[in-house]
Amino acid sequence: MVGISLGEQHFIKGGIAQDLRTDGRKRLTYRPIYVETGVIAHANGSARVKIGGTDVIASVKAEIGRPSSLQPDKGKVAVFIDCSPTAEPTFGGRGGEELSSELALALQRCLLGGKSGAGAGINLSSLLIKEGKVCWDLYIDGLVISSDGNLLDALGAAIKAALTNTAIPKVNVSAEMADDEQPEIDISDEEYLQFDTSSVPVIVTLTKVGTHYIVDATAEEESQMSSAVSISVNRVGHICGLTKRGGSGLDPSVILDMISVAKHVTETLMNKLDSDISAAEAREEES
Amino acid sequence: MEYVNPEGLRLDGRRFNEMRQIVAEIGVVSKADGSAVFEMGNTKVIAAVYGPREIQNKSLQKNNDHALVLCEYSMAHFSTGDRRRQKNDRRSTELSLVIRQTMEACILTELMPHSQIDIFLQVLQADGGTRSACINAATLALADAGIPMRDLAVSCSAGYLNSTPLLDLNYVEDSAGGADVTVGVLPKLDKVTLLQMDAKLPMETFETVFALATEGCKAIAERIREVLEENTKQLEYRRAA
């Protein structure tokens, strides 16, 4: 973690109280966001997102699998996050595992909805190939290369971009089959289906420092936080998931206030990300 | 299977003595003291160097007159064709050790007593020759961190398939079962610091394959030097501005 002196701590807190942070931003301003798609050649979709000093890669791999018996009409999605020691020496060995699983769980909560699969940001039914028999298993892998705070938002944005970039091969299932047999499938290597990402939410983390809260906190600012709430909101303004981190408790009215602020912030962020992603896609097609 | 066609071209269209395209960049991880990304065709590795700094784990301190060099190699889940799950497998441990020994040989550790240098290597894409790519990336990152070195340690691999010595094997060629010679050299001092080979080769063939890999190392060394010089020019330019 970041070691900072008492003076610096006061400076950070004072700046936030006066709506002028140490890097010159206002409380609700993001650092510049950079999006690049198609960075991993042998994945079905991939993207790299940089927010200031934070740098993450997300990749999507699709494999043929079997739907779970509880939800025979849905495909499966799994999120894995890895914190590379390049980002922070303490992530070496098993050091990054705790943070990795915390991030993975938070993302799962924000993107995939509840156990029933209802309300998921990713449309799980679209991953089905043949009910109860064959479906796509989506493996979403995130990798943190450089960390300077706000990892969850960056990973959320990268996953959204990677899913937009994802092309899933078209599959033809042989028509008639006995009930207990595994149907034969034919994976096309020419036709690809674009993934519908219009309902994938974006994640905004509001970090509470002192009595105020900020978006897109840097590592220094995060070290001063009392608590943080991550809210994922989709395009129509519905909340898809919510996570609170940090030790100290929050007043319920503050949480409601945070949610309305987050909803406002996501609108701008969603538009910015969408245009960045389509620009990145266009750039990739050109090259 | 035919790995070299009658015209002398390999599966990806290269000639026997041709390397894949190299892309190298310095300073990709903002928080690290030194960092670099090294790409060789589809193989892509990020290296980050932290240090020299105070020794974090005193139990690792063995020799007080030299800096302690530590190295960790990790592969991203998505780096290979099929997803890997385990993190600390034996291959990674062996590779970490090999890279650490190679880098230790070129760092002037005696200049930095009571300190530690961490080298972290993250493979983003693996398509053969990750060992070499890691060493090259580590060299660039160490140079970026301003750590004194005897020479730029560089590495390259070569193999022998269809009775032809081949430079810089990709994954398909690497898994074909032929010999695979990985060489690491200090080009200015003209010394070999790393030599590994699997499978068997007749003595005289080994000589030609080894010579080919050494030639490859020299070419990479030149490229790495160019990248470093370009970076220095940029810094100079920015200082003037």
Side-chain angles (χ1 to χ4, degrees):
Chain A
M1 265 282 97
V2 227
I4 49 176
S5 69
L6 213 60
E8 275 178 291
Q9 291 179 16
H10 282 304
F11 189 71
I12 290 171
K13 284 182 184 162
I16 289 168
Q18 292 181 29
D19 204 10
L20 182 63
R21 289 151 72 178
T22 42
D23 48 7
R25 285 184 289 156
K26 284 174 173 295
R27 281 198 287 264
L28 298 182
T29 327
Y30 267 82
R31 288 172 284 182
I33 300 178
Y34 168 80
V35 182
E36 189 185 345
T37 54
V39 285
I40 304 295
H42 44 229
N44 291 78
S46 60
R48 180 177 194 167
V49 167
K50 289 186 207 176
I51 303 183
T54 297
D55 189 348
V56 298
I57 290 183
S59 102
V60 179
K61 244 173 208 179
E63 281 171 22
I64 293 283
R66 223 190 140 97
S68 83
S69 51
L70 293 173
Q71 298 161 354
D73 58 339
K74 287 191 167 73
K76 290 179 289 190
V77 179
V79 183
F80 296 92
I81 302 299
D82 211 352
C83 292
S84 166
T86 53
E88 192 97 50
T90 50
F91 292 163
R94 311 187 80 84
E97 264 173 35
E98 204 174 304
L99 179 66
S100 303
S101 34
E102 189 191 340
L103 286 169
L105 273 172
L107 283 164
Q108 223 150 18
R109 207 170 293 139
C110 289
L111 296 172
L112 299 183
K115 278 210 182 70
S116 65
I122 299 166
N123 183 2
L124 296 177
S125 307
S126 68
L127 296 171
L128 188 75
I129 300 169
K130 177 112 177 114
E131 186 166 338
K133 301 279 185 223
V134 201
C135 71
W136 284 111
D137 285 351
L138 275 198
Y139 291 98
I140 301 178
D141 285 301
L143 178 70
V144 177
I145 291 174
S146 176
S147 96
D148 190 13
N150 207 19
L151 289 176
L152 197 63
D153 294 17
L155 284 165
I159 290 174
K160 190 175 160 69
L163 283 170
T164 314
N165 182 241
T166 300
I168 294 178
K170 202 174 163 152
V171 177
N172 293 314
V173 186
S174 55
E176 274 315 300
M177 267 293 144
D179 274 353
D180 50 345
E181 265 178 90
Q182 195 67 10
E184 274 184 34
I185 50 168
D186 170 38
I187 302 174
S188 157
D189 45 6
E190 281 161 8
E191 279 182 279
Y192 287 92
L193 295 175
Q194 211 63 37
F195 203 74
D196 176 30
T197 50
S198 55
S199 56
V200 177
V202 288
I203 303 171
V204 165
T205 303
L206 290 171
T207 310
K208 193 157 181 279
V209 180
T211 51
H212 298 274
Y213 36 82
I214 52 173
V215 298
D216 192 20
T218 62
E220 277 88 18
E221 286 165 337
E222 269 178 4
S223 71
Q224 297 308 308
M225 77 172 193
S226 57
S227 56
V229 178
S230 300
I231 302 156
S232 79
V233 182
N234 67 8
R235 186 177 303 283
V236 282
H238 292 168
I239 299 170
C240 300
L242 216 149
T243 320
K244 183 200 163 285
R245 285 173 296 142
S248 72
L250 276 177
D251 196 81
S253 66
V254 176
I255 296 189
L256 292 179
D257 191 29
M258 279 172 138
I259 290 174
S260 68
V261 171
K263 211 179 135 181
H264 177 70
V265 175
T266 41
E267 262 173 50
T268 20
L269 181 65
M270 177 81 89
N271 291 336
K272 162 110 181 73
L273 266 182
D274 279 342
S275 66
D276 278 355
I277 292 171
S278 46
E281 290 271 59
R283 237 182 300 145
E284 196 202 338
E285 264 163 43
E286 253 173 50
S287 58
Chain B
M1 188 160 159
E2 194 187 55
Y3 291 95
V4 186
N5 70 10
E7 286 87 56
L9 293 177
R10 288 151 73 175
L11 294 173
D12 51 6
R14 289 182 286 157
R15 299 201 176 274
F16 80 94
N17 60 352
E18 230 175 304
M19 251 184 303
R20 288 172 286 175
Q21 194 194 13
I22 294 176
V23 180
E25 200 186 326
I26 281 177
V28 286
V29 181
S30 50
K31 279 180 78 187
D33 294 310
S35 62
V37 55
F38 189 87
E39 274 177 62
M40 233 175 162
N42 273 331
T43 300
K44 190 171 182 179
V45 179
I46 287 188
V49 169
Y50 288 85
R53 54 183 187 151
E54 198 184 338
I55 294 182
Q56 309 288 312
N57 186 351
K58 293 276 190 256
S59 63
L60 292 173
Q61 190 171 17
K62 286 177 215 121
N63 189 340
N64 265 325
D65 318 329
H66 293 271
L68 179 69
V69 179
L70 295 175
C71 179
E72 193 175 317
Y73 167 95
S74 43
M75 279 179 102
H77 281 304
F78 48 73
S79 61
T80 47
D82 31 63
R83 287 168 35 82
R84 288 157 45 103
R85 249 141 255 199
Q86 70 278 47
K87 197 181 176 193
N88 275 323
D89 53 336
R90 284 167 65 186
R91 194 182 104 88
S92 302
T93 317
E94 187 256 344
L95 262 166
S96 303
L97 185 71
V98 167
I99 298 163
R100 182 181 138 194
Q101 286 169 344
T102 313
M103 297 332 284
E104 219 168 21
C106 81
I107 297 172
L108 294 167
T109 48
E110 63 273 19
L111 293 182
M112 296 163 280
H114 305 287
S115 50
Q116 157 182 352
I117 298 165
D118 288 284
I119 306 169
F120 296 110
L121 294 149
Q122 177 74 51
V123 177
L124 296 183
Q125 291 185 77
D127 183 30
T130 45
R131 215 168 283 249
S132 305
C134 281
I135 289 172
N136 298 333
T139 300
L140 278 165
L142 284 168
D144 183 35
I147 289 169
M149 291 188 280
R150 273 181 194 89
D151 198 353
L152 297 171
V154 288
S155 166
C156 187
S157 69
Y160 191 73
L161 284 170
N162 297 148
S163 30
T164 326
L166 301 173
L167 185 64
D168 184 21
L169 303 182
N170 65 21
Y171 182 74
V172 184
E173 292 167 334
D174 197 15
S175 37
D180 171 20
V181 183
T182 303
V183 182
V185 298
L186 299 174
K188 275 262 170 75
L189 303 173
D190 214 10
K191 286 211 167 96
V192 175
T193 53
L194 164 72
L195 182 57
Q196 287 184 323
M197 186 182 97
D198 43 25
K200 60 180 177 191
L201 265 187
M203 274 292 222
E204 25 322 337
T205 326
F206 173 76
E207 271 184 39
T208 49
V209 175
F210 177 67
L212 186 65
T214 319
E215 277 305 303
C217 286
K218 296 218 167 109
I220 291 175
E222 237 165 79
R223 184 79 191 85
I224 283 184
R225 194 162 282 280
E226 271 171 36
V227 171
L228 287 172
E229 275 170 7
E230 186 54 40
N231 185 59
T232 315
K233 267 185 212 155
Q234 286 282 332
L235 290 175
E236 180 77 35
Y237 176 73
R238 268 183 236 157
R239 193 180 67 170

